[in-house]
Amino acid sequence: MLPAVSNKSFGLFFSAGFLLAALTGAIGLGWLREPRQYRTDPPISAALEGFRLMPNAIGGAPPEVYFALGKPYEGTAYDLSQGKRLYSWFGCASCHGEGEGGAGPAFLDGWWLYGPSMVSIVASIRDGRPHDMPAFRDKMTIDQIWQLAGYVKSIGAYSAKLTAPSRNDAPQTRPAENRAPAAILFNEGSASVHPDQGPSP
Amino acid sequence: MKAARAALPISMLLSGCGGIQSALDPQGHSAILLRDLILVIVAICSLVWLAVMIVLVWALLRRRDREPGDGQGSDRGMRIWVSGAVAATVLIISGLTIGSFYTTRGLNGAKNPDVTIRVRAQQWWWQFIYEDTDPARNFQTANELHIPVGKEVRVRLESVDVIHSFWVPSLAGKLDLIPGRENVLTFRAERSGVYRGQCAEFCGLQHSHMAFFIIAESEESYRQWAGAQRQSGAEPVEAETSAGKAVFAARQCAACHTIRGTAAAGTTGPDLTHIGSRRTIAAGLLENTRGSLAAWIADPQTLKPGNNMPIVPLSSDELRQLSAYMESLK
């Protein structure tokens, strides 16, 4: 039989236990911190180049290495932030605005001309598309293109994301990237935007 | 031997008092004013501290001859002491406040600077744009500032991303660079020399590798330098360097960097028109040699993790040609 524990020592044990649990929790949270991949190994870059595209250049299969890495470019805050920087550095906004479109198509209307898959977006950026979408093959490295594609995809997201890129310094023209910016337009349906493509997206 | 070992920490401490980056060895007008102010404040405060300690020790050690509360005389003496101490405190604090006010006002004295430079800090390097009344004569450089000695230099401080801080301990500063606004600092180097500056506001992963150099030189050599910087990038003469130029234009380099006189006109990264003339690369990280240029181009993410230059896949020949071209851009 265990000896009876007095009230006083119970309090002591409780406080010590609570402190230990809090400490373990804090260390655990620090341990779970999302690692950042600053340097893409050249073999991985080369593999990222090797996705397979359907003959009509819409959709396809990402390279094996993308899954092995855990699909970083859609999910990690660092890659999304870098994608957001690339979006402004490479002048995407001059045709696509903050996603509302302009000379180029919108990302917010829930309609992806070449499908919503990462491979299609990467191919659009890398190789260009008809109607004046330039190819960025010689301007960006392939891992930058994947980062940018992940960011572009997050502008058109219609369900909220856990990860967010950095905030805007300028006033927002649409909900932030992690708050499903396309949801409003998507829920309304894009029939008015693309009447030729059917009644709803 | 023992003495030498004992002296080592002291000499290491004192090495902070001189050299190219020290507020205690000022070579610029504002830094000298600030050094004088802090010396006066430290001297007066030390005297006050010493006086307080002496009185305290005296109070602890003095013999208590008389009974407490006996006689009017000690009460009057106490009143004189306390009023004297209060008067001294008021005088000293107002004196230091006034001294500090006039020193601070003297820091930004000049109305008409001789040179105006726009500073755009970004993670993690310094962009310096020399402004001329004729915009065609503007030019820019990175992480290296040349100024004429004895002249008023005005820096217009801006930030592209987060808050940085401009600090050249031997000359001037510090003053923050804040996104969305412009801060202005005017300073003057009294003696020619090379001074090191450093970002003084934590700005991210590579904050400690965000240094720059100020080269204060005679009016004449400054004019010569500025004239050379206004020229377009040197045209390659050797086969290797002209191959390097072709690699630069064909690959991702040209999308972020400018070399005036060529098609390369990117604005995201530092202007490389005269990179060969600079002392260091990557914001004071490496000495500027052909070897370090090649190392940087081959793998910037290992040398300075998290910076915004990606690894551009190059063959060994291309890397050699490119670094030769960079070195030739004097």
Tab-separated table of all heavy atoms in Angstrom, chain B residues 117 125-130 139-147 194-195 211-215 217 225 229 274-281 283-284 288:
chain	number	residue	atom	x	y	z
B	117	ILE	N	23.227	60.783	-51.240
B	117	ILE	CA	23.196	59.368	-51.602
B	117	ILE	C	21.923	58.749	-51.054
B	117	ILE	O	21.588	58.939	-49.891
B	117	ILE	CB	24.421	58.624	-51.028
B	117	ILE	CG1	25.716	59.260	-51.530
B	117	ILE	CG2	24.382	57.151	-51.397
B	117	ILE	CD1	26.892	58.988	-50.648
B	125	TRP	N	21.714	43.366	-47.810
B	125	TRP	CA	22.769	44.131	-48.453
B	125	TRP	C	22.332	45.585	-48.573
B	125	TRP	O	21.181	45.923	-48.313
B	125	TRP	CB	23.123	43.548	-49.830
B	125	TRP	CG	22.000	43.512	-50.810
B	125	TRP	CD1	20.970	42.617	-50.836
B	125	TRP	CD2	21.757	44.408	-51.903
B	125	TRP	NE1	20.116	42.903	-51.874
B	125	TRP	CE2	20.570	43.988	-52.549
B	125	TRP	CE3	22.432	45.513	-52.420
B	125	TRP	CZ2	20.058	44.646	-53.667
B	125	TRP	CZ3	21.910	46.154	-53.523
B	125	TRP	CH2	20.741	45.714	-54.137
B	126	TRP	N	23.271	46.455	-48.939
B	126	TRP	CA	23.016	47.889	-49.013
B	126	TRP	C	23.112	48.358	-50.450
B	126	TRP	O	24.112	48.105	-51.124
B	126	TRP	CB	24.054	48.653	-48.183
B	126	TRP	CG	24.079	48.258	-46.745
B	126	TRP	CD1	24.779	47.211	-46.218
B	126	TRP	CD2	23.393	48.884	-45.662
B	126	TRP	NE1	24.561	47.156	-44.862
B	126	TRP	CE2	23.719	48.179	-44.492
B	126	TRP	CE3	22.543	49.988	-45.568
B	126	TRP	CZ2	23.224	48.523	-43.243
B	126	TRP	CZ3	22.057	50.330	-44.315
B	126	TRP	CH2	22.386	49.608	-43.177
B	127	GLN	N	22.072	49.056	-50.890
B	127	GLN	CA	22.103	49.627	-52.232
B	127	GLN	C	22.365	51.131	-52.079
B	127	GLN	O	21.644	51.815	-51.358
B	127	GLN	CB	20.748	49.385	-52.902
B	127	GLN	CG	20.651	49.890	-54.314
B	127	GLN	CD	19.274	49.614	-54.911
B	127	GLN	OE1	18.316	49.363	-54.187
B	127	GLN	NE2	19.173	49.668	-56.213
B	128	PHE	N	23.403	51.637	-52.732
B	128	PHE	CA	23.740	53.056	-52.636
B	128	PHE	C	23.540	53.708	-54.003
B	128	PHE	O	24.193	53.326	-54.977
B	128	PHE	CB	25.194	53.242	-52.188
B	128	PHE	CG	25.472	52.686	-50.813
B	128	PHE	CD1	26.413	51.693	-50.618
B	128	PHE	CD2	24.768	53.145	-49.719
B	128	PHE	CE1	26.659	51.183	-49.362
B	128	PHE	CE2	25.005	52.641	-48.445
B	128	PHE	CZ	25.958	51.657	-48.269
B	129	ILE	N	22.631	54.694	-54.073
B	129	ILE	CA	22.361	55.367	-55.339
B	129	ILE	C	22.872	56.793	-55.224
B	129	ILE	O	22.372	57.578	-54.404
B	129	ILE	CB	20.850	55.352	-55.651
B	129	ILE	CG1	20.352	53.898	-55.652
B	129	ILE	CG2	20.575	56.022	-56.985
B	129	ILE	CD1	18.856	53.766	-55.603
B	130	TYR	N	23.886	57.127	-56.011
B	130	TYR	CA	24.442	58.477	-55.999
B	130	TYR	C	23.586	59.357	-56.888
B	130	TYR	O	23.420	59.077	-58.077
B	130	TYR	CB	25.894	58.456	-56.510
B	130	TYR	CG	26.874	57.962	-55.477
B	130	TYR	CD1	26.908	56.619	-55.116
B	130	TYR	CD2	27.761	58.837	-54.856
B	130	TYR	CE1	27.794	56.164	-54.161
B	130	TYR	CE2	28.658	58.383	-53.900
B	130	TYR	CZ	28.671	57.048	-53.551
B	130	TYR	OH	29.543	56.609	-52.604
B	139	PHE	N	24.324	57.046	-60.602
B	139	PHE	CA	24.847	55.686	-60.716
B	139	PHE	C	24.642	55.016	-59.378
B	139	PHE	O	24.362	55.672	-58.383
B	139	PHE	CB	26.321	55.688	-61.113
B	139	PHE	CG	27.244	56.291	-60.096
B	139	PHE	CD1	27.822	55.506	-59.110
B	139	PHE	CD2	27.540	57.641	-60.127
B	139	PHE	CE1	28.667	56.069	-58.169
B	139	PHE	CE2	28.403	58.208	-59.193
B	139	PHE	CZ	28.963	57.420	-58.209
B	140	GLN	N	24.741	53.698	-59.364
B	140	GLN	CA	24.583	53.021	-58.082
B	140	GLN	C	25.634	51.958	-57.859
B	140	GLN	O	26.269	51.465	-58.788
B	140	GLN	CB	23.187	52.440	-57.925
B	140	GLN	CG	22.784	51.461	-58.991
B	140	GLN	CD	21.501	50.774	-58.593
B	140	GLN	OE1	21.478	49.950	-57.686
B	140	GLN	NE2	20.408	51.096	-59.275
B	141	THR	N	25.834	51.661	-56.592
B	141	THR	CA	26.810	50.652	-56.207
B	141	THR	C	26.226	49.882	-55.026
B	141	THR	O	25.106	50.156	-54.620
B	141	THR	CB	28.161	51.320	-55.891
B	141	THR	OG1	29.066	50.334	-55.413
B	141	THR	CG2	28.029	52.402	-54.847
B	142	ALA	N	26.970	48.924	-54.513
B	142	ALA	CA	26.427	48.119	-53.419
B	142	ALA	C	27.486	47.885	-52.369
B	142	ALA	O	28.640	47.577	-52.691
B	142	ALA	CB	25.922	46.782	-53.954
B	143	ASN	N	27.094	48.048	-51.139
B	143	ASN	CA	27.926	47.693	-49.977
B	143	ASN	C	29.254	48.427	-49.924
B	143	ASN	O	30.144	48.030	-49.185
B	143	ASN	CB	28.188	46.178	-49.943
B	143	ASN	CG	26.910	45.385	-50.020
B	143	ASN	OD1	25.915	45.756	-49.423
B	143	ASN	ND2	26.919	44.331	-50.797
B	144	GLU	N	29.406	49.469	-50.703
B	144	GLU	CA	30.647	50.242	-50.644
B	144	GLU	C	30.340	51.689	-51.006
B	144	GLU	O	29.817	51.985	-52.073
B	144	GLU	CB	31.690	49.660	-51.602
B	144	GLU	CG	33.061	50.268	-51.385
B	144	GLU	CD	34.151	49.478	-52.109
B	144	GLU	OE1	34.250	48.264	-51.881
B	144	GLU	OE2	34.877	50.087	-52.905
B	145	LEU	N	30.672	52.584	-50.068
B	145	LEU	CA	30.327	53.994	-50.221
B	145	LEU	C	31.636	54.768	-50.302
B	145	LEU	O	32.485	54.639	-49.425
B	145	LEU	CB	29.547	54.398	-48.965
B	145	LEU	CG	28.549	55.514	-48.986
B	145	LEU	CD1	27.508	55.251	-50.038
B	145	LEU	CD2	27.876	55.595	-47.631
B	146	HIS	N	31.805	55.557	-51.363
B	146	HIS	CA	32.974	56.440	-51.423
B	146	HIS	C	32.489	57.857	-51.135
B	146	HIS	O	31.490	58.293	-51.689
B	146	HIS	CB	33.618	56.388	-52.803
B	146	HIS	CG	34.385	55.122	-53.041
B	146	HIS	ND1	35.736	55.105	-53.280
B	146	HIS	CD2	33.987	53.834	-53.063
B	146	HIS	CE1	36.135	53.849	-53.443
B	146	HIS	NE2	35.094	53.055	-53.323
B	147	ILE	N	33.204	58.574	-50.270
B	147	ILE	CA	32.809	59.954	-49.965
B	147	ILE	C	34.046	60.842	-49.953
B	147	ILE	O	35.147	60.380	-49.641
B	147	ILE	CB	32.075	60.056	-48.602
B	147	ILE	CG1	32.939	59.501	-47.481
B	147	ILE	CG2	30.752	59.324	-48.636
B	147	ILE	CD1	32.399	59.795	-46.095
B	194	VAL	N	39.389	54.017	-44.428
B	194	VAL	CA	38.333	53.045	-44.709
B	194	VAL	C	37.615	52.757	-43.406
B	194	VAL	O	38.256	52.444	-42.402
B	194	VAL	CB	38.927	51.741	-45.282
B	194	VAL	CG1	37.822	50.719	-45.520
B	194	VAL	CG2	39.674	52.017	-46.562
B	195	TYR	N	36.300	52.918	-43.399
B	195	TYR	CA	35.524	52.693	-42.183
B	195	TYR	C	34.471	51.646	-42.467
B	195	TYR	O	33.924	51.576	-43.561
B	195	TYR	CB	34.875	53.992	-41.726
B	195	TYR	CG	35.870	55.114	-41.595
B	195	TYR	CD1	35.937	56.137	-42.543
B	195	TYR	CD2	36.789	55.108	-40.557
B	195	TYR	CE1	36.876	57.137	-42.444
B	195	TYR	CE2	37.743	56.103	-40.440
B	195	TYR	CZ	37.775	57.124	-41.386
B	195	TYR	OH	38.716	58.100	-41.291
B	211	ALA	N	27.172	44.113	-43.759
B	211	ALA	CA	28.127	45.180	-43.486
B	211	ALA	C	28.375	45.981	-44.753
B	211	ALA	O	27.977	45.580	-45.849
B	211	ALA	CB	29.425	44.582	-42.983
B	212	PHE	N	28.984	47.134	-44.599
B	212	PHE	CA	29.420	47.891	-45.776
B	212	PHE	C	30.658	48.688	-45.406
B	212	PHE	O	30.992	48.808	-44.226
B	212	PHE	CB	28.308	48.802	-46.290
B	212	PHE	CG	27.839	49.843	-45.308
B	212	PHE	CD1	28.298	51.153	-45.385
B	212	PHE	CD2	26.943	49.516	-44.316
B	212	PHE	CE1	27.863	52.111	-44.488
B	212	PHE	CE2	26.504	50.467	-43.417
B	212	PHE	CZ	26.963	51.767	-43.495
B	213	PHE	N	31.335	49.196	-46.402
B	213	PHE	CA	32.546	49.969	-46.150
B	213	PHE	C	32.368	51.383	-46.672
B	213	PHE	O	31.771	51.596	-47.722
B	213	PHE	CB	33.753	49.302	-46.806
B	213	PHE	CG	34.203	48.084	-46.058
B	213	PHE	CD1	33.655	46.843	-46.332
B	213	PHE	CD2	35.139	48.181	-45.048
B	213	PHE	CE1	34.037	45.719	-45.620
B	213	PHE	CE2	35.527	47.065	-44.323
B	213	PHE	CZ	34.979	45.833	-44.617
B	214	ILE	N	32.871	52.347	-45.913
B	214	ILE	CA	32.905	53.727	-46.387
B	214	ILE	C	34.353	54.068	-46.655
B	214	ILE	O	35.208	53.893	-45.775
B	214	ILE	CB	32.307	54.685	-45.345
B	214	ILE	CG1	30.810	54.442	-45.226
B	214	ILE	CG2	32.579	56.124	-45.731
B	214	ILE	CD1	30.061	55.526	-44.510
B	215	ILE	N	34.636	54.517	-47.846
B	215	ILE	CA	35.990	54.934	-48.189
B	215	ILE	C	35.979	56.449	-48.307
B	215	ILE	O	35.406	57.010	-49.228
B	215	ILE	CB	36.478	54.255	-49.482
B	215	ILE	CG1	36.702	52.767	-49.185
B	215	ILE	CG2	37.792	54.852	-49.953
B	215	ILE	CD1	35.874	51.852	-49.944
B	217	GLU	N	37.954	59.688	-49.073
B	217	GLU	CA	39.181	59.978	-49.811
B	217	GLU	C	39.177	61.439	-50.235
B	217	GLU	O	38.180	62.147	-50.081
B	217	GLU	CB	39.304	59.049	-51.033
B	217	GLU	CG	38.071	59.077	-51.920
B	217	GLU	CD	37.995	57.863	-52.848
B	217	GLU	OE1	38.895	57.013	-52.807
B	217	GLU	OE2	37.032	57.803	-53.611
B	225	TRP	N	36.895	58.471	-58.934
B	225	TRP	CA	36.130	57.245	-58.705
B	225	TRP	C	34.717	57.380	-59.257
B	225	TRP	O	34.227	56.501	-59.960
B	225	TRP	CB	36.099	56.935	-57.202
B	225	TRP	CG	35.197	55.796	-56.851
B	225	TRP	CD1	35.501	54.467	-56.905
B	225	TRP	CD2	33.829	55.880	-56.423
B	225	TRP	NE1	34.414	53.722	-56.524
B	225	TRP	CE2	33.377	54.561	-56.223
B	225	TRP	CE3	32.951	56.933	-56.180
B	225	TRP	CZ2	32.076	54.272	-55.796
B	225	TRP	CZ3	31.664	56.651	-55.753
B	225	TRP	CH2	31.239	55.329	-55.561
B	229	GLN	N	32.781	55.238	-62.089
B	229	GLN	CA	31.560	54.485	-61.802
B	229	GLN	C	30.444	54.840	-62.780
B	229	GLN	O	29.553	54.035	-63.011
B	229	GLN	CB	31.087	54.762	-60.372
B	229	GLN	CG	32.008	54.227	-59.299
B	229	GLN	CD	31.928	52.713	-59.134
B	229	GLN	OE1	30.855	52.136	-59.095
B	229	GLN	NE2	33.076	52.063	-59.072
B	274	HIS	N	30.307	47.588	-61.836
B	274	HIS	CA	31.728	47.718	-61.484
B	274	HIS	C	32.071	46.839	-60.294
B	274	HIS	O	32.801	47.239	-59.398
B	274	HIS	CB	32.056	49.180	-61.185
B	274	HIS	CG	31.872	50.077	-62.369
B	274	HIS	ND1	32.739	50.085	-63.434
B	274	HIS	CD2	30.895	50.956	-62.687
B	274	HIS	CE1	32.313	50.942	-64.345
B	274	HIS	NE2	31.191	51.482	-63.917
B	275	ILE	N	31.546	45.622	-60.303
B	275	ILE	CA	31.737	44.766	-59.126
B	275	ILE	C	33.216	44.469	-58.884
B	275	ILE	O	33.663	44.350	-57.743
B	275	ILE	CB	30.919	43.456	-59.232
B	275	ILE	CG1	31.061	42.683	-57.923
B	275	ILE	CG2	31.305	42.638	-60.434
B	275	ILE	CD1	30.313	41.409	-57.840
B	276	GLY	N	34.000	44.412	-59.966
B	276	GLY	CA	35.428	44.105	-59.818
B	276	GLY	C	36.195	45.154	-59.030
B	276	GLY	O	37.276	44.886	-58.521
B	277	SER	N	35.623	46.375	-58.920
B	277	SER	CA	36.329	47.445	-58.218
B	277	SER	C	36.026	47.441	-56.729
B	277	SER	O	36.637	48.199	-55.980
B	277	SER	CB	35.918	48.795	-58.805
B	277	SER	OG	34.598	49.120	-58.407
B	278	ARG	N	35.091	46.603	-56.290
B	278	ARG	CA	34.713	46.640	-54.875
B	278	ARG	C	35.640	45.769	-54.032
B	278	ARG	O	36.192	44.801	-54.522
B	278	ARG	CB	33.260	46.179	-54.695
B	278	ARG	CG	32.301	47.150	-55.311
B	278	ARG	CD	30.869	46.667	-55.203
B	278	ARG	NE	30.057	47.301	-56.232
B	278	ARG	CZ	28.990	46.768	-56.794
B	278	ARG	NH1	28.585	45.581	-56.419
B	278	ARG	NH2	28.323	47.416	-57.720
B	279	ARG	N	35.729	46.125	-52.741
B	279	ARG	CA	36.634	45.398	-51.859
B	279	ARG	C	36.087	44.037	-51.445
B	279	ARG	O	36.825	43.073	-51.273
B	279	ARG	CB	36.864	46.206	-50.576
B	279	ARG	CG	37.878	47.257	-50.774
B	279	ARG	CD	37.665	48.435	-49.855
B	279	ARG	NE	38.353	49.548	-50.438
B	279	ARG	CZ	39.569	49.923	-50.057
B	279	ARG	NH1	40.169	49.329	-49.065
B	279	ARG	NH2	40.170	50.904	-50.673
B	280	THR	N	34.780	44.020	-51.204
B	280	THR	CA	34.192	42.776	-50.707
B	280	THR	C	32.982	42.421	-51.567
B	280	THR	O	32.477	43.239	-52.326
B	280	THR	CB	33.690	42.934	-49.255
B	280	THR	OG1	32.695	43.954	-49.229
B	280	THR	CG2	34.824	43.309	-48.329
B	281	ILE	N	32.520	41.193	-51.423
B	281	ILE	CA	31.256	40.805	-52.052
B	281	ILE	C	30.320	40.298	-50.962
B	281	ILE	O	30.756	39.992	-49.845
B	281	ILE	CB	31.437	39.739	-53.146
B	281	ILE	CG1	32.121	38.503	-52.576
B	281	ILE	CG2	32.219	40.289	-54.309
B	281	ILE	CD1	32.081	37.314	-53.527
B	283	ALA	N	27.996	41.819	-49.164
B	283	ALA	CA	27.877	42.695	-47.994
B	283	ALA	C	28.938	42.416	-46.937
B	283	ALA	O	28.644	42.172	-45.774
B	283	ALA	CB	26.473	42.610	-47.396
B	284	GLY	N	30.182	42.455	-47.380
B	284	GLY	CA	31.291	42.332	-46.431
B	284	GLY	C	31.592	40.909	-46.021
B	284	GLY	O	32.405	40.679	-45.136
B	288	ASN	N	36.944	40.367	-52.140
B	288	ASN	CA	36.616	40.236	-53.551
B	288	ASN	C	37.811	39.705	-54.337
B	288	ASN	O	38.700	40.451	-54.725
B	288	ASN	CB	36.182	41.596	-54.089
B	288	ASN	CG	35.616	41.505	-55.480
B	288	ASN	OD1	35.563	40.422	-56.060
B	288	ASN	ND2	35.206	42.633	-56.015
